[in-house]
């Protein structure tokens, strides 16, 4: 049985065509159309919000060289290229398959006596259910990455970015990626297996070039502004349902009032429910990073090395203290 529901989260650029193939792959978060729509939204933000505040010219506002050419951003660019090659050669083939989990889960549900062919499930419902399952798993992975000290050492490299660009999203340690993709595959796969068992006929969902239609919509409406200097808030009401770019930028803040807030990928409902939601009332200014420690992550090599060094030190010191 083939479900055809791979999530494409975290491995979207790691294919045989190399890192820049993401520009032409709808499963990639930096697909050219998603970047174009983000640019269009950023331009609208400039016209509506910033132009009347005596902001710099539109080109300087949209493409500030102090951000794009910042040493942290340059490390991101090189890390993105090198990490994508490493992932393709070594880690990608070892990742847990969502389809495999779905098949095994459906078999388990069948063996447990779950009713078969109970409901006729609309592809819209299937698409939404799998998106919610993926998002909940990513929230959980993100939460654990902040709360478990060893995992935090690996996730810390993402927060060590001193500036944000759309490429900063790929400033993720392979250990962090493995956690995200494993929990996503388990959550989406089990959900798909259950729906396949109780549904009438083969499971189907709405895809755009092989990607969940709802995920495509999320990418189109400004996803790439999450890691940018463009402040875009969804307001006090919608921000309790969806994570805005402004809310994710706050997640990168080094101010204590912003710590461990806004873990959500798409939905802020999880943050609201678990008490980790922070909704800005107005535009906020804050430093990015991890309180000065970000200076240590000054090269591609140190992004790979430091998490292992620091996690081993933490483990060793904890054993001594016992």
């Amino acid at each position: 049985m083939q479900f055809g529901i791979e999530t494409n989260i975290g491995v979207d650029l790691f294919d045989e065509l190399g890192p820049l193939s993401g520009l032409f792959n709808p499963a990639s978060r930096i697909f050219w159309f998603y970047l174009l729509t983000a640019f269009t939204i950023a331009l609208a933000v400039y016209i509506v919000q910033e132009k009347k505040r005596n902001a710099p010219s539109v080109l300087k506002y949209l493409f500030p060289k102090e951000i794009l050419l910042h040493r942290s951003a340059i490390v991101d660019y090189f890390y993105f290229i090198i990490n994508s090659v490493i992932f393709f050669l070594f880690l990608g083939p070892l990742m847990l398959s969502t389809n495999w989990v779905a098949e095994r889960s459906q078999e388990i549900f069948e063996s447990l006596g779950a009713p078969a062919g109970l409901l006729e499930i609309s592809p819209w419902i299937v698409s939404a259910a799998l998106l919610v399952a993926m998002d909940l798993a990513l929230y959980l992975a993100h939460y654990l990455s902040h709360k478990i000290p060893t995992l935090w050492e690996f996730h810390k490299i993402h927060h060590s970015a001193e500036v944000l660009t759309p490429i900063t999203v790929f400033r993720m340690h392979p250990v962090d990626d493995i956690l995200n993709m494993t929990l996503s595959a388990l959550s989406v796969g089990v959900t798909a297996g259950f729906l396949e068992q109780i549904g009438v006929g083969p499971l189907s969902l709405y895809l755009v070039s092989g990607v969940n239609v709802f995920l495509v919509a999320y990418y189109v409406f400004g996803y790439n502004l999450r890691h940018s200097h463009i402040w875009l808030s969804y307001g006090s009401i919608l921000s309790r349902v969806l994570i805005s770019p402004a809310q994710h930028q706050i997640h990168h803040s080094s101010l204590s009032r912003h710590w461990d807030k806004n873990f959500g990928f798409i939905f802020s409902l999880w943050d609201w429910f678990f008490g980790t939601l922070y909704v800005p009332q107005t535009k906020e200014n804050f430093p990015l990073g991890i309180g000065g420690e970000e200076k240590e992550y000054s090269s591609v090599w140190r992004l790979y090395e430091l998490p292992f060094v620091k996690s081993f030190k933490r483990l060793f010191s904890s054993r001594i203290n016992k």
Side-chain angles (χ1 to χ4, degrees):
M1 179 184 304
Q2 179 58 248
F3 287 80
I5 53 167
E6 295 292 357
T7 61
N8 293 309
I9 293 298
V11 291
D12 42 20
L13 298 185
F14 308 124
D15 59 35
E16 67 277 7
L17 299 179
L20 295 182
S21 67
L23 291 170
F24 310 100
N25 180 3
S28 167
R29 289 163 285 184
I30 58 168
F31 178 51
W32 69 266
F33 186 66
Y34 307 151
L35 293 174
L36 178 62
T37 57
F39 170 82
T40 304
I41 294 171
L43 183 60
V45 170
Y46 174 81
I47 294 171
V48 173
Q49 295 183 7
E50 301 297 335
K51 191 174 181 180
K52 51 189 171 186
R53 297 179 183 171
N54 297 318
S57 68
V58 63
L59 285 180
K60 288 183 178 180
Y61 173 75
L62 295 176
F63 305 105
K65 62 182 181 181
E66 63 272 17
I67 292 178
L68 298 179
L69 298 180
H70 192 283
R71 62 179 183 179
S72 175
I74 292 173
V75 169
D76 283 350
Y77 305 149
F78 283 104
Y79 184 76
F80 161 65
I81 294 171
I82 294 171
N83 202 39
S84 63
V85 173
I86 290 175
F87 202 102
F88 168 67
L89 292 176
F90 301 107
L91 296 180
L94 302 177
M95 290 297 98
L96 184 64
S97 166
T98 306
N99 285 325
W100 183 88
V101 174
E103 292 170 5
R104 302 292 82 74
S105 298
Q106 193 271 333
E107 293 170 358
I108 292 172
F109 285 125
E110 185 176 28
S111 68
L112 293 175
L118 185 64
L119 300 171
E120 190 164 336
I121 307 174
S122 163
W124 289 112
I125 299 297
V126 175
S127 302
L130 297 186
L131 186 82
V132 169
M134 178 201 74
D135 199 63
L136 178 58
L138 291 178
Y139 174 89
L140 176 60
H142 200 174
Y143 181 88
L144 293 176
S145 294
H146 278 252
K147 297 300 183 179
I148 297 177
T150 300
L151 293 179
W152 168 241
E153 293 299 344
F154 291 95
H155 184 62
K156 194 186 288 183
I157 77 161
H158 185 64
H159 284 270
S160 69
E162 298 176 67
V163 295
L164 299 177
T165 76
I167 299 301
T168 305
V169 70
F170 301 107
R171 188 188 182 106
M172 301 284 285
H173 197 279
V175 171
D176 211 0
D177 270 332
I178 290 170
L179 174 66
N180 288 328
M181 289 185 292
T182 299
L183 291 185
S184 293
L186 287 171
S187 182
V188 175
V190 170
T191 302
F194 177 73
L195 293 177
E196 177 73 19
Q197 176 63 21
I198 68 170
V200 176
L203 192 68
S204 63
L205 63 160
Y206 285 116
L207 303 173
V208 177
S209 298
V211 184
N212 189 316
V213 63
F214 292 117
L215 186 58
V216 170
Y218 181 64
Y219 286 163
V220 165
F221 289 103
Y223 169 81
N224 282 291
L225 298 182
R226 289 162 58 95
H227 294 96
S228 79
H229 62 288
I230 307 296
W231 180 269
L232 176 62
S233 172
Y234 292 160
S236 60
I237 297 177
L238 189 56
S239 292
R240 286 174 166 76
V241 179
L242 299 171
I243 290 286
S244 70
Q247 284 170 283
H248 190 73
Q249 291 160 17
I250 282 172
H251 179 73
H252 279 266
S253 168
S254 64
L255 299 181
S256 58
R257 71 174 183 270
H258 296 148
W259 292 350
D260 294 343
K261 301 295 183 182
N262 301 339
F263 291 117
F265 176 64
I266 298 176
F267 299 109
S268 57
L269 292 169
W270 317 121
D271 286 292
W272 193 7
F273 183 79
F274 293 109
T276 56
L277 181 65
Y278 185 100
V279 178
Q281 300 304 308
T282 185
K283 183 176 181 179
E284 298 188 28
N285 295 308
F286 43 83
L288 302 174
I290 41 181
E293 194 178 344
E294 64 273 0
K295 306 298 182 185
E296 299 179 38
Y297 299 84
S298 56
S299 69
V300 170
W301 170 246
R302 290 183 74 77
L303 292 184
Y304 285 114
E305 172 207 20
L306 275 181
F308 287 109
V309 172
K310 292 192 174 192
S311 60
F312 283 135
K313 283 183 177 179
R314 184 188 289 271
L315 181 62
F316 185 71
S317 63
S318 65
R319 292 198 171 190
I320 290 180
N321 292 334
K322 288 181 180 178

